[in-house]
Amino acid sequence: MKIIYILLDAISYKHSWLANGEAMPNLAARKKNFLNFHKHYAVTHNTRGNLAALFSGVSSSLNKVVSRAHSFSGNKYGYLQEILDKHGFSSHYVGTQLLYRPTLSNDNLGFSENISLTPSMADYYIPGEKFNNICKNKIEKMSNEKYFMMLHYTDAHEPYDTPYNIITKKEFPLIWKFLYQSKNLFYRIPRRFARIYFKPQTIKRNKEFFSQYKDLEYLCPKPHGPVLSPERYPGFYEKCWNDIDFYNEYVAYMIEALKYQDYVANDLINYIKKNFSKNTLIFISADHGNNGIISPKKFKEEGTLYEDVIHVPLSIFSFDDEINKKFNLCGDINELTSHVDFFQTVLGVLEEKFVD
């Protein structure tokens, strides 16, 4: 048995393949062959807390991981990967960003292998098409093994800087005007010049950050950072939350990033179907909702468990007829589920007794 979890970072249910065919048309077309969970919820508003819940089988109040400030290694309940190891499974995290806290080398959620391609998603971006090459190579190399693998994509996470997501005057006139108004040009030009031609601090930082990273050829040739992303400009979010037309343009910009993520995920699924469909079970979900478009006012009014932040898509499927028949992997589930249930679900696949 091979278990692959495709984690698409920061996608709310209402923007996902389960609810929005416009934003994610390829996955939406496939969902008729998936087992789809329409009332599936994250446990918190950030990646770290939700990963801990997925693999510990308990909520943040018990595993004590709510944010980046908390260590995975402090969870007294253990992690799913430890049980998988007893069943002969290796476990692998492959992501475009750092999973663990840099100060804690053992803070790896119990994975037997941890592949993180960059230390900072805020400064460097690996497009999903390039990340797919790494994921495909990893799946191919392990074709004869029992494994659990999480593949963590971040193309739909703000800033929405996918290769084809470009701010143009015609498509995004208000954002374009904001970026090119005089005060932001004076912000943009000196920093852009410094980044390219005069960057001793950047060179030193990169040397330290990337001394342990061997796949630098997969980095975007022109890494996105504070100079290029519209979200990095002073006053961007303030403008977004106070101008409904500007906000609507930003949502449309996000939809373009979701379309790219949909294309990338569909490409990986096609690869698995063509080459490694036998005895493979696939989960595809989001860690949390797209909180990049939710205003601080909403967070203040609704809290970090605001519906748009924690209501996320989940589908389970396989291209193996025996697995589909055994687990009845087709249809729609409208009962309440959460990330915590993943732990027990995998134990059920392994026919391991679950202790509540």
Side-chain angles (χ1 to χ4, degrees):
M1 171 71 78
K2 299 162 179 48
I3 303 173
I4 298 175
Y5 197 118
I6 302 172
L7 184 69
L8 308 179
D9 206 302
I11 298 178
S12 301
Y13 175 87
K14 71 179 185 180
H15 298 126
S16 75
W17 63 94
L18 294 185
N20 192 329
E22 175 195 358
M24 308 194 81
N26 292 298
L27 293 180
R30 299 190 101 122
K31 69 181 180 181
K32 62 181 180 294
N33 297 314
F34 295 170
L35 181 62
N36 303 304
F37 293 78
H38 295 277
K39 293 185 178 179
H40 185 74
Y41 283 82
V43 301
T44 186
H45 67 295
N46 62 72
T47 301
R48 192 172 186 83
N50 284 304
L51 287 177
L54 279 164
F55 297 117
S56 68
V58 295
S59 64
S60 302
S61 60
L62 295 176
N63 63 40
K64 307 300 182 185
V65 180
V66 180
S67 71
R68 295 177 184 175
H70 305 130
S71 169
F72 291 131
S73 57
N75 169 39
K76 68 179 182 180
Y77 297 92
Y79 288 110
L80 177 63
Q81 290 84 327
E82 296 162 356
I83 298 175
L84 286 166
D85 181 64
K86 294 177 182 177
H87 284 264
F89 283 73
S90 59
S91 57
H92 310 264
Y93 172 87
V94 186
T96 57
Q97 61 174 312
L98 202 64
L99 168 68
Y100 53 85
R101 294 171 67 188
T103 55
L104 295 172
S105 59
N106 66 336
D107 193 26
N108 62 5
L109 255 178
F111 285 99
S112 50
E113 181 184 38
N114 187 320
I115 300 174
S116 301
L117 300 179
T118 70
S120 172
M121 186 180 68
D123 293 306
Y124 295 92
Y125 169 56
I126 299 176
E129 289 165 282
K130 294 188 176 184
F131 183 55
N132 266 2
N133 294 332
I134 295 176
C135 296
K136 291 173 183 178
N137 288 338
K138 186 65 181 172
I139 291 170
E140 183 175 357
K141 287 179 181 178
M142 301 189 62
S143 59
N144 296 320
E145 300 181 33
K146 290 169 61 176
Y147 63 79
F148 167 76
M149 189 182 301
M150 172 168 275
L151 307 175
H152 186 177
Y153 291 77
T154 53
D155 297 283
H157 194 296
E158 78 284 351
Y160 307 117
D161 286 330
T162 65
Y164 313 117
N165 210 12
I166 300 171
I167 297 292
T168 65
K169 186 175 183 180
K170 181 179 179 180
E171 291 186 89
F172 306 101
L174 297 178
I175 297 178
W176 190 92
K177 181 180 178 181
F178 174 85
L179 293 180
Y180 288 94
Q181 59 185 317
S182 58
K183 69 173 184 179
N184 279 331
L185 280 176
F186 283 112
Y187 169 82
R188 177 191 184 103
I189 294 173
R191 295 194 64 176
R192 179 64 174 158
F193 182 87
R195 189 178 179 89
I196 297 175
Y197 300 107
F198 188 70
K199 52 179 183 180
Q201 289 184 339
T202 304
I203 293 172
K204 181 181 178 182
R205 182 192 65 184
N206 288 358
K207 186 176 181 180
E208 294 173 351
F209 272 0
F210 289 99
S211 60
Q212 59 181 313
Y213 296 89
K214 299 178 181 179
D215 293 310
L216 299 188
E217 69 271 19
Y218 289 105
L219 282 172
C220 185
K222 296 180 179 179
H224 296 285
V227 175
L228 298 179
S229 303
E231 294 89 343
R232 307 298 186 193
Y233 283 73
F236 179 86
Y237 280 113
E238 289 77 3
K239 178 74 172 174
C240 193
W241 309 140
N242 291 291
D243 184 331
I244 187 62
D245 294 326
F246 193 93
Y247 172 81
N248 288 336
E249 268 194 19
Y250 189 48
V251 172
Y253 191 58
M254 178 199 71
I255 295 296
E256 294 304 308
L258 286 165
K259 289 178 181 177
Y260 178 74
Q261 184 70 95
D262 172 69
Y263 162 73
V264 166
N266 191 60
D267 175 64
L268 180 74
I269 291 169
N270 282 334
Y271 171 80
I272 296 171
K273 181 180 180 180
K274 180 180 178 180
N275 300 286
F276 303 102
S277 59
K278 186 67 176 175
N279 212 25
T280 301
L281 178 64
I282 305 166
F283 294 74
I284 183 167
S285 185
D287 49 353
H288 55 78
N290 220 317
N291 48 22
I293 61 170
I294 299 172
S295 72
K297 182 181 179 182
K298 274 290 185 185
F299 271 120
K300 188 173 182 180
E301 292 174 351
E302 305 288 344
T304 56
L305 299 186
Y306 176 52
E307 175 81 6
D308 286 358
V309 177
I310 62 169
H311 188 191
V312 296
L314 168 65
S315 296
I316 308 175
F317 61 99
S318 177
F319 300 111
D320 186 318
D321 291 337
E322 292 184 14
I323 292 178
N324 277 321
K325 184 177 180 180
K326 182 177 180 179
F327 298 113
N328 193 24
L329 297 180
C330 187
D332 298 287
I333 303 294
N334 289 297
E335 297 175 9
L336 186 67
T337 58
S338 82
H339 283 341
V340 170
D341 297 314
F342 176 69
F343 186 99
Q344 184 176 355
T345 300
V346 175
L347 291 191
V349 171
L350 301 176
E351 298 181 353
E352 171 95 11
K353 184 179 180 181
F354 175 72
V355 177
D356 192 342

